[in-house]
Amino acid sequence: MLKVMIVGCGGIAPAHIEGYLKFGELATITHLVDPNLERAHTLIAKYNLQNAIAQADYAEALPLVDAVSICTPPALHCGAVVDSLRNGCHVLVEKPMAPSLAECDQMIQAAQKHDRLLSVVVQSRFISDIRNVVEMVKSGAYGKNLYTRVHSSWYRGESYYDLAWRGRWEVEGGGSTQNQSIHHIDLLLWTKGMPTSIRSFMTNLNHHNSQEEDFSSSILRYEDGSIAELTSSLIDHSSPQSLTFQMEKAGIGIPFQAFASKARPNGFPIANEEMVAQVTADFQARPKLTSEKHEGQIRNFLLAINGEQPLLATAIDGRNCIELITGVYQSAIENKDVTFPITQGSDYYTSKWRVNAPHFFEKSRDIEAFEDTTITNNS
Ligand SMILES: NC(=O)c1ccc[n+]([C@@H]2O[C@H](COP(=O)([O-])OP(=O)(O)OC[C@H]3O[C@@H](n4cnc5c(N)ncnc54)[C@H](O)[C@@H]3O)[C@@H](O)[C@H]2O)c1
């Protein structure tokens, strides 16, 4: 039975607790850590965690546990991850992995040195319909992917940035691109790998208590000549989030959609209904996961620790997201194309660039916590 510690008892911690509770035959939660002890006690009571104790600091308990879920604000991820790995623990860390590539590399090196697993949360990979579309696109059955459109649209109200750790480049690390669109960016990278270059624009349209962007738009270019277009927005009331892969023979979307056209002799389109039926039948025939989202990723994490499955979401996947997002920021700030990889000599490899990042607005309100920590999404 693996002993698990949860570090950080705020908004996302319940998703981890519920995941571990689902697999009680594999793991038991023994420690909940938060400098605000009341939050740890509240979760212990809410989930009736009889084997768990609340602590203000993780250091003392690290030698006592086998695995750690890090659910703290992003700037604290690296220190807690490296300390956990050094103490022989396997680690599941929330997204974004860390605000800089330098920190990501430090975490990856610690995992290698201490021979422990390090997984970064990408719960969308553990949704059956998404996984199946990604596999269909990657299979090549519908020809080459020519163009992908990623519409990463979210809504967060003005007060979202009142939380003290949000809204500052040097604390949160970035705005909508880093913290919300990372989910869709991971799916894009999972499907197509890293692009060769990126060109981006960013601004803040309507979040006046944040230095950071609430909108970015990017064009990504790939070695095989294909293109992706990525829009990240925190001001969308209801437009659906989507990834649309335009292949040579068909278009396939997340959420699942199939489109296909064929050309008349003069080049104008007619619907290709047989192809739509083929794509739809392919999608429907694919298997479903038994556990989804955080629960699915936690199941894989635990089974990977026990050597029963490969780790399906790795630290390299988490790092790739940070490299792409760093490219968005560099391109938008310097108003030029950025080519990958971003190398160690660059100011953008570390957090140095954040000192000179544009402040779209200055922060004027900071609170330590909201009374209501419910996490909801509009789409
Ligand atoms: N995967 C997802 O869909 C998803 C959704 C929301 C948040 N997140 C991520 O989860 C992380 C936490 O976000 P949140 O919304 O839960 O934030 P939050 O502010 O609600 O909670 C963070 C908690 O960490 C605690 N904390 C601060 N310093 C600590 C320390 N040194 N040791 C232990 N605990 C400490 C705080 O007191 C707070 O209770 C972030 O990286 C965020 O991006 C992921």
Side-chain angles (χ1 to χ4, degrees):
M1 176 76 69
L2 297 166
K3 291 185 182 144
V4 176
M5 170 156 62
I6 310 282
V7 179
C9 297
I12 201 61
H16 289 247
I17 295 171
E18 288 166 22
Y20 290 112
L21 287 179
K22 190 82 184 182
F23 305 107
E25 73 287 3
L26 298 173
T28 182
I29 299 170
T30 56
H31 295 81
L32 273 88
V33 178
D34 201 299
N36 183 334
L37 269 178
E38 201 188 322
R39 284 189 212 156
H41 284 299
T42 302
L43 291 179
I44 288 174
K46 179 176 174 192
Y47 290 101
N48 192 22
L49 302 175
Q50 290 172 353
N51 298 324
I53 57 168
Q55 291 198 308
D57 187 88
Y58 59 77
E60 229 176 78
L62 279 178
L64 309 176
V65 299
D66 305 295
V68 182
S69 262
I70 309 285
C71 304
T72 56
L76 303 176
H77 288 179
C78 183
V81 167
V82 171
D83 285 345
S84 302
L85 293 164
R86 201 182 283 140
N87 276 274
C89 302
H90 302 281
V91 179
L92 175 63
V93 59
E94 264 300 340
K95 53 56 58 179
M97 184 172 176
S100 74
L101 288 166
E103 288 166 288
C104 293
D105 285 345
Q106 215 183 315
M107 293 152 85
I108 290 168
Q109 281 156 18
Q112 286 165 350
K113 181 172 172 194
H114 300 287
D115 194 21
R116 299 287 91 180
L117 297 182
L118 173 56
S119 184
V120 181
V121 171
V122 280
Q123 76 264 32
S124 298
R125 287 192 185 198
F126 295 84
I127 295 176
S128 305
D129 288 357
I130 290 179
R131 175 167 291 249
N132 288 338
V133 169
V134 169
E135 282 176 3
M136 287 166 70
V137 172
K138 285 165 96 164
S139 75
Y142 304 102
K144 181 183 161 186
N145 170 232
L146 303 169
Y147 162 61
T148 302
R149 191 176 62 240
V150 182
H151 193 203
S152 185
S153 55
W154 305 76
Y155 181 86
R156 293 289 184 271
E158 180 77 12
S159 57
Y160 178 77
Y161 283 103
D162 291 356
L163 205 57
W165 65 264
R166 292 192 185 128
R168 284 192 177 84
W169 287 108
E170 290 182 72
V171 184
E172 187 177 23
S176 62
T177 319
Q178 182 190 273
N179 291 298
Q180 278 75 32
S181 301
I182 192 166
H183 295 289
H184 298 111
I185 287 169
D186 176 66
L187 295 179
L188 178 66
L189 295 178
W190 189 30
T191 314
K192 284 185 65 69
M194 280 296 283
T196 50
S197 69
I198 192 163
R199 177 78 189 206
S200 308
F201 163 84
M202 67 177 174
T203 187
N204 182 324
L205 294 168
N206 203 27
H207 290 87
H208 304 93
N209 196 31
S210 169
Q211 300 170 350
E212 305 155 345
E213 90 290 0
D214 65 6
F215 181 94
S216 72
S217 175
S218 304
I219 301 285
L220 289 69
R221 278 184 285 196
Y222 292 83
E223 197 159 18
D224 65 0
S226 63
I227 294 284
E229 199 181 347
L230 164 69
T231 303
S232 165
S233 158
L234 221 50
I235 55 94
D236 278 47
H237 289 275
S238 64
S239 61
Q241 301 174 340
S242 62
L243 285 92
T244 311
F245 300 95
Q246 299 295 348
M247 322 289 291
E248 286 169 308
K249 299 182 191 168
I252 311 179
I254 296 172
F256 178 71
Q257 270 190 296
F259 328 87
S261 299
K262 54 189 176 187
R264 293 173 187 279
N266 67 356
F268 280 78
I270 41 173
N272 186 346
E273 281 160 18
E274 305 90 75
M275 180 56 73
V276 169
Q278 185 185 324
V279 173
T280 306
D282 181 352
F283 175 74
Q284 286 169 346
R286 287 175 184 259
K288 300 277 184 195
L289 297 166
T290 51
S291 304
E292 296 211 331
K293 300 185 183 175
H294 274 83
E295 190 183 299
Q297 184 160 357
I298 285 169
R299 177 175 183 271
N300 172 250
F301 177 58
L302 295 173
L303 291 175
I305 292 173
N306 288 343
E308 292 172 43
Q309 272 190 4
L311 192 66
L312 295 176
T314 67
I316 299 294
D317 298 322
R319 185 198 190 278
N320 285 343
C321 289
I322 298 305
E323 185 162 26
L324 194 288
I325 290 162
T326 305
V328 171
Y329 291 138
Q330 181 176 1
S331 174
I333 290 170
E334 298 188 347
N335 193 21
K336 66 173 197 190
D337 284 9
V338 168
T339 53
F340 296 106
I342 294 171
T343 53
Q344 286 198 16
S346 164
D347 282 356
Y348 288 83
Y349 179 76
T350 63
S351 275
K352 208 168 163 189
W353 63 272
R354 289 191 170 89
V355 179
N356 299 318
H359 289 196
F360 292 108
F361 297 98
E362 294 303 339
K363 266 206 95 168
S364 58
R365 292 185 305 280
D366 280 321
I367 59 166
E368 205 224 323
F370 291 110
E371 269 179 36
D372 175 10
T373 56
T374 312
I375 294 177
T376 56
N377 278 313
N378 57 328
S379 48

